[in-house]
Amino acid sequence: MSRATQPRDLVPCTTSVKTTAVLLAAVTLSCAAGVGASSASAAGAPTPTTQQAPSTSGGAVAPASTTTPASGTPGVPKTIPDAPARVRAVVTRFALSASSWATGNAAPTIDLRIDARRATAARVQVRVEDRTTRKIVLRQSFGVVRSGVDVQSAVTKRLLALPGRYRLRLIVRDQTGRRTVKARGLQVTAAPAAASTPTGVAGYVFPVQGACNFRSLDAQRFHSAREAGRAHNGQDIGTYSGFPPVVAVTAATVDSVFYDDAGGGWTIVFDGDDGVAYGYLHLKAGSIVVQPGQRVAAGQRVANAGNTGGDYEPHLHFEMRPIPWSAHRADAVDPMPLLLKLPNPCDG
């Protein structure tokens, strides 16, 4: 039998297989690309882009990035607090509207302003210093003041009850910790109310709330003689060996709380609404529950009787002077007429 011959017009099998494989690969890639494109275009959703939120002034850290559509509509960033910059602040204005103040006149106005090269803030306080004694008699806080802002405030009315010559010191502490001091003078010519013993008992409460006595020893009475020619300026109310509560004798404002290392120990001074300054001395350490500037009502607990300041038996030294306390040591009045009028637990 003769060998069969292949027709000349037919493509060999191997060539056909290779061509088919190439065509299938092309079609597959084309379909994959078409599916990805059609899914995005059919949904009509633009490709999202990422936009960083702008940083704030003062070196605050920007929040995490927000997603913004490709159409250009900005996203909503988180709220960023306004942090004061840690830069130095300069006092560019500190002035008083008047250099003197008298009864019946409006309180002078304090004008101040701080500036800095970046937005910042500083803590501001005005200290009222007696020019004669060089002691601070009052503090007026302005809190935190922002840079670039004009601030105005009237001088505290409490100063009207303290006639004298004063230096108002402006204390500014900025974010770097730097302290700036400026000063202005002020003359106060208002007359203080004269101390006197109240005529009634309404609005007054006996200051010791516990077992007590009036310590009838002459040395504990008002104006009894002391060493170096001094006089005892108050009345001692003995509390035996206990430390009972002591209360405000009448409605008042706490003038000062301090430790008197000359013998008074822990002390509270009240400026009474009746125009009298009341002093509570030898209070128990750690028992004081009021602070300067606080209002107190008659009968409100303020501390406990004690024996601080010396080798004493527990008692309350109760003293009455004209306002201001620090300027009228020689003008103290006898508290016994008032104390004897008030219902009290003392037994002698």
Side-chain angles (χ1 to χ4, degrees):
M1 181 183 295
S2 63
R3 181 182 300 177
T5 58
Q6 189 176 29
R8 295 182 180 178
D9 56 346
L10 294 180
V11 179
C13 180
T14 54
T15 303
S16 176
V17 172
K18 292 181 180 179
T19 303
T20 303
V22 172
L23 291 175
L24 286 174
V27 170
T28 302
L29 291 174
S30 176
C31 291
V35 170
S38 62
S39 61
S41 59
T47 303
T49 60
T50 299
Q51 179 180 3
Q52 293 288 338
S55 62
T56 59
S57 61
V61 178
S65 60
T66 58
T67 300
T68 305
S71 59
T73 303
V76 180
K78 296 179 181 179
T79 301
I80 305 172
D82 187 8
R86 292 182 60 84
V87 296
R88 287 192 172 186
V90 178
V91 179
T92 53
R93 182 181 305 145
F94 175 45
L96 286 175
S97 60
S99 59
S100 63
W101 186 18
T103 302
N105 295 337
T109 300
I110 300 172
D111 297 318
L112 64 93
R113 178 188 174 104
I114 63 172
D115 287 292
R117 58 186 178 84
R118 294 169 62 190
T120 189
R123 293 192 175 277
V124 178
Q125 182 187 85
V126 170
R127 298 177 184 175
V128 182
E129 178 186 284
D130 190 309
R131 299 188 69 169
T132 301
T133 64
R134 295 187 178 181
K135 292 183 177 180
I136 297 172
V137 297
L138 288 173
R139 289 178 173 84
Q140 185 171 350
S141 176
F142 283 73
V144 177
V145 174
R146 294 176 58 84
S147 60
V149 177
D150 294 318
V151 177
Q152 291 185 340
S153 180
V155 174
T156 174
K157 293 182 179 179
R158 295 176 61 198
L159 191 59
L160 194 60
L162 310 175
R165 297 172 61 247
Y166 296 98
R167 182 178 289 107
L168 274 60
R169 293 189 179 275
L170 179 73
I171 312 296
V172 176
R173 190 176 296 277
D174 62 27
Q175 295 295 316
T176 68
R178 179 171 176 262
R179 186 169 176 264
T180 303
V181 180
K182 300 285 185 179
R184 295 290 182 271
L186 179 64
Q187 175 78 34
V188 179
T189 58
S196 61
T197 301
T199 57
V201 296
Y204 294 86
V205 177
F206 192 76
V208 175
Q209 300 294 296
C212 62
N213 62 70
F214 284 116
R215 301 190 75 180
S216 57
L217 295 174
D218 288 341
Q220 317 307 324
R221 297 289 189 178
F222 176 72
H223 268 187
S224 58
R226 294 294 173 87
E227 66 278 2
R230 293 190 304 110
H232 186 235
N233 275 353
Q235 172 62 49
D236 288 345
I237 304 173
T239 59
Y240 299 102
S241 59
F243 303 93
V246 294
V247 300
V249 67
T250 190
T253 299
V254 180
D255 174 78
S256 54
V257 176
F258 59 94
Y259 188 87
D260 177 13
D261 55 12
W266 280 108
T267 300
I268 304 176
V269 175
F270 302 93
D271 289 343
D273 290 357
D274 56 5
V276 179
Y278 296 91
Y280 289 33
L281 282 66
H282 309 305
L283 299 171
K284 184 179 181 182
S287 71
I288 297 174
V289 294
V290 294
Q291 57 187 351
Q294 180 177 336
R295 289 286 301 167
V296 293
Q300 178 179 334
R301 177 179 173 269
V302 296
N304 287 76
N307 56 358
T308 57
D311 185 17
Y312 308 127
E313 294 180 355
H315 70 283
L316 172 68
H317 173 101
F318 181 78
E319 190 169 336
M320 297 168 58
R321 304 182 190 178
I323 297 173
W325 172 270
S326 60
H328 292 281
R329 176 177 173 77
D331 302 317
V333 299
D334 188 356
M336 278 299 283
L338 170 64
L339 294 174
L340 291 174
K341 290 179 181 179
L342 303 177
N344 63 79
C346 291
D347 56 10

